[in-house]
Amino acid sequence: QVQLVESGGGLVQAGGSLRLSCAASGITFSIYAMGWYRQTPGKQRELVAAIGSGGLTIYADSVKGRFAISRDNAKNTVYLQMNSLKPEDTAVYYCNAGTYYNRLYSPGGYWGQGTQVTVSS
């Protein structure tokens, strides 16, 4: 079975940093693109960052220059380093295994359970 397990969320003050991790099992991790999404109540889930199987990355304009996505295929894990955090970054963050082509990320059907990130002012 496919499992995606996020970790690393928590409470942080504005300007601080967090690193999220997503450990995957049940898939051939190295051939998938991976994406990080976030969602707040009443708002659609939005793509934050994605990384292709070859290492190319894309970012939402709102996080560009502050967040960095990376992957370690040997550990079947994708990371999201979040720096200079703002209260507007508060959300539940989810990882996803999908496809990445022509600078567009398309989510697959499997999601992690999510990890809460709360940024205080």
Side-chain angles (χ1 to χ4, degrees):
Q1 60 179 354
V2 177
Q3 287 191 319
L4 302 174
V5 181
E6 301 97 334
S7 62
L11 302 174
V12 65
Q13 292 184 328
S17 298
L18 286 172
R19 189 180 74 159
L20 306 184
S21 299
C22 174
S25 61
I27 61 171
T28 305
F29 181 81
S30 62
I31 69 171
Y32 280 88
M34 299 294 296
W36 283 99
Y37 287 74
R38 65 187 180 188
Q39 188 169 31
T40 56
K43 187 178 180 181
Q44 69 177 8
R45 193 170 296 185
E46 66 172 344
L47 179 66
V48 177
I51 184 167
S53 60
L56 296 177
T57 59
I58 56 171
Y59 297 92
D61 287 343
S62 60
V63 307
K64 193 171 297 181
R66 299 188 297 120
F67 291 10
I69 188 170
S70 62
R71 65 192 296 158
D72 186 340
N73 288 346
K75 297 181 178 179
N76 286 1
T77 300
V78 62
Y79 304 95
L80 185 67
Q81 179 66 46
M82 304 185 294
N83 299 323
S84 301
L85 282 161
K86 304 175 180 180
E88 305 93 273
D89 296 318
T90 296
V92 178
Y93 285 71
Y94 300 88
C95 69
N96 175 266
T99 57
Y100 179 39
Y101 190 70
N102 287 152
R103 301 177 182 178
L104 293 175
Y105 181 80
S106 297
Y110 295 98
W111 301 85
Q113 82 289 346
T115 186
Q116 176 72 48
V117 171
T118 302
V119 184
S120 62
S121 60

PDB file of all heavy atoms in Angstrom, residues 17-47:
ATOM      1  N   SER A  17      12.053  29.430  11.282  1.00  0.00           N
ATOM      2  CA  SER A  17      12.195  28.403  10.263  1.00  0.00           C
ATOM      3  C   SER A  17      11.672  27.063  10.748  1.00  0.00           C
ATOM      4  O   SER A  17      11.686  26.766  11.942  1.00  0.00           O
ATOM      5  CB  SER A  17      13.667  28.229   9.867  1.00  0.00           C
ATOM      6  OG  SER A  17      14.209  29.413   9.317  1.00  0.00           O
ATOM      7  N   LEU A  18      11.220  26.258   9.805  1.00  0.00           N
ATOM      8  CA  LEU A  18      10.846  24.870  10.034  1.00  0.00           C
ATOM      9  C   LEU A  18      11.274  24.056   8.824  1.00  0.00           C
ATOM     10  O   LEU A  18      11.341  24.581   7.711  1.00  0.00           O
ATOM     11  CB  LEU A  18       9.343  24.702  10.232  1.00  0.00           C
ATOM     12  CG  LEU A  18       8.700  25.153  11.538  1.00  0.00           C
ATOM     13  CD1 LEU A  18       7.182  25.054  11.418  1.00  0.00           C
ATOM     14  CD2 LEU A  18       9.195  24.309  12.701  1.00  0.00           C
ATOM     15  N   ARG A  19      11.526  22.778   9.036  1.00  0.00           N
ATOM     16  CA  ARG A  19      11.759  21.857   7.936  1.00  0.00           C
ATOM     17  C   ARG A  19      10.760  20.714   8.017  1.00  0.00           C
ATOM     18  O   ARG A  19      10.730  19.972   9.006  1.00  0.00           O
ATOM     19  CB  ARG A  19      13.178  21.292   7.939  1.00  0.00           C
ATOM     20  CG  ARG A  19      13.491  20.500   6.657  1.00  0.00           C
ATOM     21  CD  ARG A  19      14.882  19.923   6.625  1.00  0.00           C
ATOM     22  NE  ARG A  19      15.028  18.773   7.507  1.00  0.00           N
ATOM     23  CZ  ARG A  19      15.969  17.846   7.398  1.00  0.00           C
ATOM     24  NH1 ARG A  19      16.879  17.944   6.425  1.00  0.00           N
ATOM     25  NH2 ARG A  19      16.034  16.848   8.264  1.00  0.00           N
ATOM     26  N   LEU A  20       9.947  20.579   6.983  1.00  0.00           N
ATOM     27  CA  LEU A  20       8.987  19.493   6.890  1.00  0.00           C
ATOM     28  C   LEU A  20       9.597  18.319   6.144  1.00  0.00           C
ATOM     29  O   LEU A  20      10.389  18.500   5.216  1.00  0.00           O
ATOM     30  CB  LEU A  20       7.719  19.943   6.162  1.00  0.00           C
ATOM     31  CG  LEU A  20       7.010  21.189   6.701  1.00  0.00           C
ATOM     32  CD1 LEU A  20       5.732  21.431   5.916  1.00  0.00           C
ATOM     33  CD2 LEU A  20       6.724  21.057   8.188  1.00  0.00           C
ATOM     34  N   SER A  21       9.207  17.112   6.537  1.00  0.00           N
ATOM     35  CA  SER A  21       9.649  15.897   5.872  1.00  0.00           C
ATOM     36  C   SER A  21       8.438  15.071   5.466  1.00  0.00           C
ATOM     37  O   SER A  21       7.409  15.088   6.138  1.00  0.00           O
ATOM     38  CB  SER A  21      10.538  15.054   6.792  1.00  0.00           C
ATOM     39  OG  SER A  21      11.701  15.753   7.180  1.00  0.00           O
ATOM     40  N   CYS A  22       8.560  14.352   4.373  1.00  0.00           N
ATOM     41  CA  CYS A  22       7.530  13.420   3.926  1.00  0.00           C
ATOM     42  C   CYS A  22       8.209  12.138   3.505  1.00  0.00           C
ATOM     43  O   CYS A  22       8.958  12.117   2.518  1.00  0.00           O
ATOM     44  CB  CYS A  22       6.725  14.011   2.767  1.00  0.00           C
ATOM     45  SG  CYS A  22       5.533  12.871   2.033  1.00  0.00           S
ATOM     46  N   ALA A  23       7.965  11.074   4.255  1.00  0.00           N
ATOM     47  CA  ALA A  23       8.532   9.765   3.969  1.00  0.00           C
ATOM     48  C   ALA A  23       7.523   8.933   3.194  1.00  0.00           C
ATOM     49  O   ALA A  23       6.375   8.784   3.615  1.00  0.00           O
ATOM     50  CB  ALA A  23       8.917   9.066   5.267  1.00  0.00           C
ATOM     51  N   ALA A  24       7.953   8.387   2.063  1.00  0.00           N
ATOM     52  CA  ALA A  24       7.078   7.622   1.182  1.00  0.00           C
ATOM     53  C   ALA A  24       7.413   6.140   1.233  1.00  0.00           C
ATOM     54  O   ALA A  24       8.574   5.750   1.359  1.00  0.00           O
ATOM     55  CB  ALA A  24       7.206   8.130  -0.252  1.00  0.00           C
ATOM     56  N   SER A  25       6.377   5.318   1.112  1.00  0.00           N
ATOM     57  CA  SER A  25       6.548   3.877   0.978  1.00  0.00           C
ATOM     58  C   SER A  25       5.472   3.341   0.047  1.00  0.00           C
ATOM     59  O   SER A  25       4.434   3.972  -0.154  1.00  0.00           O
ATOM     60  CB  SER A  25       6.492   3.174   2.339  1.00  0.00           C
ATOM     61  OG  SER A  25       5.239   3.388   2.968  1.00  0.00           O
ATOM     62  N   GLY A  26       5.721   2.181  -0.548  1.00  0.00           N
ATOM     63  CA  GLY A  26       4.755   1.572  -1.445  1.00  0.00           C
ATOM     64  C   GLY A  26       4.810   2.075  -2.873  1.00  0.00           C
ATOM     65  O   GLY A  26       3.966   1.687  -3.694  1.00  0.00           O
ATOM     66  N   ILE A  27       5.762   2.945  -3.201  1.00  0.00           N
ATOM     67  CA  ILE A  27       5.953   3.442  -4.560  1.00  0.00           C
ATOM     68  C   ILE A  27       7.435   3.398  -4.900  1.00  0.00           C
ATOM     69  O   ILE A  27       8.285   3.369  -3.999  1.00  0.00           O
ATOM     70  CB  ILE A  27       5.424   4.878  -4.757  1.00  0.00           C
ATOM     71  CG1 ILE A  27       6.159   5.865  -3.841  1.00  0.00           C
ATOM     72  CG2 ILE A  27       3.919   4.941  -4.544  1.00  0.00           C
ATOM     73  CD1 ILE A  27       5.855   7.317  -4.129  1.00  0.00           C
ATOM     74  N   THR A  28       7.727   3.387  -6.198  1.00  0.00           N
ATOM     75  CA  THR A  28       9.105   3.549  -6.635  1.00  0.00           C
ATOM     76  C   THR A  28       9.395   5.046  -6.605  1.00  0.00           C
ATOM     77  O   THR A  28       9.171   5.769  -7.575  1.00  0.00           O
ATOM     78  CB  THR A  28       9.304   2.964  -8.034  1.00  0.00           C
ATOM     79  OG1 THR A  28       8.884   1.596  -8.045  1.00  0.00           O
ATOM     80  CG2 THR A  28      10.769   3.028  -8.433  1.00  0.00           C
ATOM     81  N   PHE A  29       9.893   5.506  -5.477  1.00  0.00           N
ATOM     82  CA  PHE A  29       9.963   6.930  -5.171  1.00  0.00           C
ATOM     83  C   PHE A  29      10.719   7.727  -6.228  1.00  0.00           C
ATOM     84  O   PHE A  29      10.308   8.826  -6.607  1.00  0.00           O
ATOM     85  CB  PHE A  29      10.605   7.111  -3.795  1.00  0.00           C
ATOM     86  CG  PHE A  29      10.723   8.533  -3.345  1.00  0.00           C
ATOM     87  CD1 PHE A  29       9.638   9.189  -2.793  1.00  0.00           C
ATOM     88  CD2 PHE A  29      11.926   9.214  -3.468  1.00  0.00           C
ATOM     89  CE1 PHE A  29       9.745  10.506  -2.373  1.00  0.00           C
ATOM     90  CE2 PHE A  29      12.047  10.530  -3.049  1.00  0.00           C
ATOM     91  CZ  PHE A  29      10.949  11.172  -2.501  1.00  0.00           C
ATOM     92  N   SER A  30      11.826   7.187  -6.720  1.00  0.00           N
ATOM     93  CA  SER A  30      12.722   7.953  -7.581  1.00  0.00           C
ATOM     94  C   SER A  30      12.099   8.363  -8.911  1.00  0.00           C
ATOM     95  O   SER A  30      12.570   9.314  -9.537  1.00  0.00           O
ATOM     96  CB  SER A  30      14.011   7.170  -7.834  1.00  0.00           C
ATOM     97  OG  SER A  30      13.744   5.960  -8.515  1.00  0.00           O
ATOM     98  N   ILE A  31      11.056   7.687  -9.380  1.00  0.00           N
ATOM     99  CA  ILE A  31      10.456   8.015 -10.668  1.00  0.00           C
ATOM    100  C   ILE A  31       9.306   9.019 -10.549  1.00  0.00           C
ATOM    101  O   ILE A  31       8.777   9.472 -11.573  1.00  0.00           O
ATOM    102  CB  ILE A  31       9.959   6.766 -11.413  1.00  0.00           C
ATOM    103  CG1 ILE A  31       8.744   6.147 -10.723  1.00  0.00           C
ATOM    104  CG2 ILE A  31      11.082   5.746 -11.556  1.00  0.00           C
ATOM    105  CD1 ILE A  31       8.090   5.033 -11.532  1.00  0.00           C
ATOM    106  N   TYR A  32       8.924   9.372  -9.342  1.00  0.00           N
ATOM    107  CA  TYR A  32       7.822  10.308  -9.135  1.00  0.00           C
ATOM    108  C   TYR A  32       8.314  11.725  -8.923  1.00  0.00           C
ATOM    109  O   TYR A  32       9.338  11.955  -8.274  1.00  0.00           O
ATOM    110  CB  TYR A  32       6.997   9.898  -7.912  1.00  0.00           C
ATOM    111  CG  TYR A  32       6.011   8.788  -8.173  1.00  0.00           C
ATOM    112  CD1 TYR A  32       6.392   7.459  -8.041  1.00  0.00           C
ATOM    113  CD2 TYR A  32       4.701   9.078  -8.537  1.00  0.00           C
ATOM    114  CE1 TYR A  32       5.489   6.438  -8.280  1.00  0.00           C
ATOM    115  CE2 TYR A  32       3.798   8.057  -8.770  1.00  0.00           C
ATOM    116  CZ  TYR A  32       4.193   6.745  -8.634  1.00  0.00           C
ATOM    117  OH  TYR A  32       3.293   5.731  -8.865  1.00  0.00           O
ATOM    118  N   ALA A  33       7.561  12.676  -9.463  1.00  0.00           N
ATOM    119  CA  ALA A  33       7.664  14.038  -8.983  1.00  0.00           C
ATOM    120  C   ALA A  33       6.936  14.124  -7.645  1.00  0.00           C
ATOM    121  O   ALA A  33       6.000  13.360  -7.388  1.00  0.00           O
ATOM    122  CB  ALA A  33       7.047  15.012  -9.983  1.00  0.00           C
ATOM    123  N   MET A  34       7.362  15.048  -6.793  1.00  0.00           N
ATOM    124  CA  MET A  34       6.759  15.219  -5.482  1.00  0.00           C
ATOM    125  C   MET A  34       6.362  16.674  -5.285  1.00  0.00           C
ATOM    126  O   MET A  34       7.080  17.581  -5.702  1.00  0.00           O
ATOM    127  CB  MET A  34       7.721  14.799  -4.374  1.00  0.00           C
ATOM    128  CG  MET A  34       8.151  13.335  -4.426  1.00  0.00           C
ATOM    129  SD  MET A  34       6.783  12.177  -4.133  1.00  0.00           S
ATOM    130  CE  MET A  34       6.342  12.581  -2.437  1.00  0.00           C
ATOM    131  N   GLY A  35       5.232  16.868  -4.633  1.00  0.00           N
ATOM    132  CA  GLY A  35       4.752  18.218  -4.384  1.00  0.00           C
ATOM    133  C   GLY A  35       4.350  18.427  -2.940  1.00  0.00           C
ATOM    134  O   GLY A  35       3.947  17.489  -2.247  1.00  0.00           O
ATOM    135  N   TRP A  36       4.474  19.667  -2.493  1.00  0.00           N
ATOM    136  CA  TRP A  36       3.951  20.104  -1.197  1.00  0.00           C
ATOM    137  C   TRP A  36       2.787  21.060  -1.450  1.00  0.00           C
ATOM    138  O   TRP A  36       2.915  22.012  -2.228  1.00  0.00           O
ATOM    139  CB  TRP A  36       5.017  20.816  -0.365  1.00  0.00           C
ATOM    140  CG  TRP A  36       6.011  19.905   0.290  1.00  0.00           C
ATOM    141  CD1 TRP A  36       7.256  19.606  -0.137  1.00  0.00           C
ATOM    142  CD2 TRP A  36       5.820  19.203   1.521  1.00  0.00           C
ATOM    143  NE1 TRP A  36       7.869  18.756   0.740  1.00  0.00           N
ATOM    144  CE2 TRP A  36       7.014  18.485   1.770  1.00  0.00           C
ATOM    145  CE3 TRP A  36       4.768  19.102   2.437  1.00  0.00           C
ATOM    146  CZ2 TRP A  36       7.179  17.681   2.899  1.00  0.00           C
ATOM    147  CZ3 TRP A  36       4.933  18.303   3.550  1.00  0.00           C
ATOM    148  CH2 TRP A  36       6.125  17.606   3.773  1.00  0.00           C
ATOM    149  N   TYR A  37       1.671  20.803  -0.796  1.00  0.00           N
ATOM    150  CA  TYR A  37       0.488  21.648  -0.838  1.00  0.00           C
ATOM    151  C   TYR A  37       0.169  22.144   0.564  1.00  0.00           C
ATOM    152  O   TYR A  37       0.602  21.562   1.561  1.00  0.00           O
ATOM    153  CB  TYR A  37      -0.717  20.877  -1.368  1.00  0.00           C
ATOM    154  CG  TYR A  37      -0.708  20.581  -2.852  1.00  0.00           C
ATOM    155  CD1 TYR A  37       0.129  19.603  -3.383  1.00  0.00           C
ATOM    156  CD2 TYR A  37      -1.553  21.266  -3.719  1.00  0.00           C
ATOM    157  CE1 TYR A  37       0.123  19.316  -4.740  1.00  0.00           C
ATOM    158  CE2 TYR A  37      -1.571  20.986  -5.073  1.00  0.00           C
ATOM    159  CZ  TYR A  37      -0.731  20.012  -5.579  1.00  0.00           C
ATOM    160  OH  TYR A  37      -0.753  19.727  -6.933  1.00  0.00           O
ATOM    161  N   ARG A  38      -0.631  23.196   0.634  1.00  0.00           N
ATOM    162  CA  ARG A  38      -1.128  23.641   1.929  1.00  0.00           C
ATOM    163  C   ARG A  38      -2.590  24.058   1.798  1.00  0.00           C
ATOM    164  O   ARG A  38      -3.060  24.428   0.727  1.00  0.00           O
ATOM    165  CB  ARG A  38      -0.292  24.784   2.499  1.00  0.00           C
ATOM    166  CG  ARG A  38      -0.338  26.081   1.711  1.00  0.00           C
ATOM    167  CD  ARG A  38       0.662  27.080   2.294  1.00  0.00           C
ATOM    168  NE  ARG A  38       0.660  28.343   1.587  1.00  0.00           N
ATOM    169  CZ  ARG A  38       1.534  29.325   1.802  1.00  0.00           C
ATOM    170  NH1 ARG A  38       2.497  29.172   2.713  1.00  0.00           N
ATOM    171  NH2 ARG A  38       1.452  30.456   1.109  1.00  0.00           N
ATOM    172  N   GLN A  39      -3.306  23.991   2.928  1.00  0.00           N
ATOM    173  CA  GLN A  39      -4.728  24.275   2.928  1.00  0.00           C
ATOM    174  C   GLN A  39      -5.147  24.890   4.253  1.00  0.00           C
ATOM    175  O   GLN A  39      -4.731  24.438   5.317  1.00  0.00           O
ATOM    176  CB  GLN A  39      -5.530  23.000   2.678  1.00  0.00           C
ATOM    177  CG  GLN A  39      -7.017  23.223   2.468  1.00  0.00           C
ATOM    178  CD  GLN A  39      -7.709  21.977   1.958  1.00  0.00           C
ATOM    179  OE1 GLN A  39      -7.306  20.857   2.268  1.00  0.00           O
ATOM    180  NE2 GLN A  39      -8.747  22.163   1.164  1.00  0.00           N
ATOM    181  N   THR A  40      -5.981  25.928   4.167  1.00  0.00           N
ATOM    182  CA  THR A  40      -6.607  26.538   5.326  1.00  0.00           C
ATOM    183  C   THR A  40      -8.116  26.394   5.173  1.00  0.00           C
ATOM    184  O   THR A  40      -8.622  26.204   4.059  1.00  0.00           O
ATOM    185  CB  THR A  40      -6.226  28.016   5.470  1.00  0.00           C
ATOM    186  OG1 THR A  40      -6.563  28.715   4.264  1.00  0.00           O
ATOM    187  CG2 THR A  40      -4.730  28.163   5.722  1.00  0.00           C
ATOM    188  N   PRO A  41      -8.887  26.492   6.281  1.00  0.00           N
ATOM    189  CA  PRO A  41     -10.338  26.339   6.180  1.00  0.00           C
ATOM    190  C   PRO A  41     -10.967  27.309   5.187  1.00  0.00           C
ATOM    191  O   PRO A  41     -10.655  28.500   5.179  1.00  0.00           O
ATOM    192  CB  PRO A  41     -10.817  26.623   7.609  1.00  0.00           C
ATOM    193  CG  PRO A  41      -9.655  26.229   8.464  1.00  0.00           C
ATOM    194  CD  PRO A  41      -8.446  26.638   7.678  1.00  0.00           C
ATOM    195  N   GLY A  42     -11.847  26.790   4.340  1.00  0.00           N
ATOM    196  CA  GLY A  42     -12.546  27.615   3.372  1.00  0.00           C
ATOM    197  C   GLY A  42     -11.751  27.973   2.134  1.00  0.00           C
ATOM    198  O   GLY A  42     -12.248  28.719   1.285  1.00  0.00           O
ATOM    199  N   LYS A  43     -10.548  27.461   2.015  1.00  0.00           N
ATOM    200  CA  LYS A  43      -9.684  27.763   0.882  1.00  0.00           C
ATOM    201  C   LYS A  43      -9.268  26.466   0.207  1.00  0.00           C
ATOM    202  O   LYS A  43      -9.054  25.453   0.863  1.00  0.00           O
ATOM    203  CB  LYS A  43      -8.458  28.545   1.355  1.00  0.00           C
ATOM    204  CG  LYS A  43      -7.559  29.069   0.257  1.00  0.00           C
ATOM    205  CD  LYS A  43      -6.394  29.864   0.850  1.00  0.00           C
ATOM    206  CE  LYS A  43      -5.475  30.409  -0.220  1.00  0.00           C
ATOM    207  NZ  LYS A  43      -4.332  31.168   0.370  1.00  0.00           N
ATOM    208  N   GLN A  44      -9.148  26.508  -1.113  1.00  0.00           N
ATOM    209  CA  GLN A  44      -8.724  25.320  -1.836  1.00  0.00           C
ATOM    210  C   GLN A  44      -7.272  24.998  -1.538  1.00  0.00           C
ATOM    211  O   GLN A  44      -6.473  25.874  -1.196  1.00  0.00           O
ATOM    212  CB  GLN A  44      -8.936  25.500  -3.342  1.00  0.00           C
ATOM    213  CG  GLN A  44      -8.017  26.508  -3.991  1.00  0.00           C
ATOM    214  CD  GLN A  44      -8.219  26.589  -5.489  1.00  0.00           C
ATOM    215  OE1 GLN A  44      -9.137  26.000  -6.051  1.00  0.00           O
ATOM    216  NE2 GLN A  44      -7.357  27.321  -6.166  1.00  0.00           N
ATOM    217  N   ARG A  45      -6.956  23.738  -1.654  1.00  0.00           N
ATOM    218  CA  ARG A  45      -5.584  23.309  -1.467  1.00  0.00           C
ATOM    219  C   ARG A  45      -4.710  23.896  -2.571  1.00  0.00           C
ATOM    220  O   ARG A  45      -5.027  23.777  -3.756  1.00  0.00           O
ATOM    221  CB  ARG A  45      -5.534  21.781  -1.471  1.00  0.00           C
ATOM    222  CG  ARG A  45      -4.239  21.194  -0.993  1.00  0.00           C
ATOM    223  CD  ARG A  45      -4.371  19.673  -0.791  1.00  0.00           C
ATOM    224  NE  ARG A  45      -5.322  19.335   0.251  1.00  0.00           N
ATOM    225  CZ  ARG A  45      -5.548  18.103   0.696  1.00  0.00           C
ATOM    226  NH1 ARG A  45      -4.872  17.079   0.182  1.00  0.00           N
ATOM    227  NH2 ARG A  45      -6.442  17.890   1.646  1.00  0.00           N
ATOM    228  N   GLU A  46      -3.611  24.530  -2.192  1.00  0.00           N
ATOM    229  CA  GLU A  46      -2.753  25.192  -3.163  1.00  0.00           C
ATOM    230  C   GLU A  46      -1.365  24.568  -3.188  1.00  0.00           C
ATOM    231  O   GLU A  46      -0.824  24.155  -2.159  1.00  0.00           O
ATOM    232  CB  GLU A  46      -2.643  26.694  -2.870  1.00  0.00           C
ATOM    233  CG  GLU A  46      -1.936  27.030  -1.571  1.00  0.00           C
ATOM    234  CD  GLU A  46      -1.662  28.520  -1.403  1.00  0.00           C
ATOM    235  OE1 GLU A  46      -1.739  29.269  -2.406  1.00  0.00           O
ATOM    236  OE2 GLU A  46      -1.370  28.937  -0.264  1.00  0.00           O
ATOM    237  N   LEU A  47      -0.797  24.536  -4.375  1.00  0.00           N
ATOM    238  CA  LEU A  47       0.553  24.025  -4.537  1.00  0.00           C
ATOM    239  C   LEU A  47       1.549  25.041  -3.998  1.00  0.00           C
ATOM    240  O   LEU A  47       1.522  26.210  -4.381  1.00  0.00           O
ATOM    241  CB  LEU A  47       0.839  23.741  -6.009  1.00  0.00           C
ATOM    242  CG  LEU A  47       2.237  23.209  -6.333  1.00  0.00           C
ATOM    243  CD1 LEU A  47       2.439  21.820  -5.739  1.00  0.00           C
ATOM    244  CD2 LEU A  47       2.457  23.176  -7.839  1.00  0.00           C
TER     245      LEU A  47
END
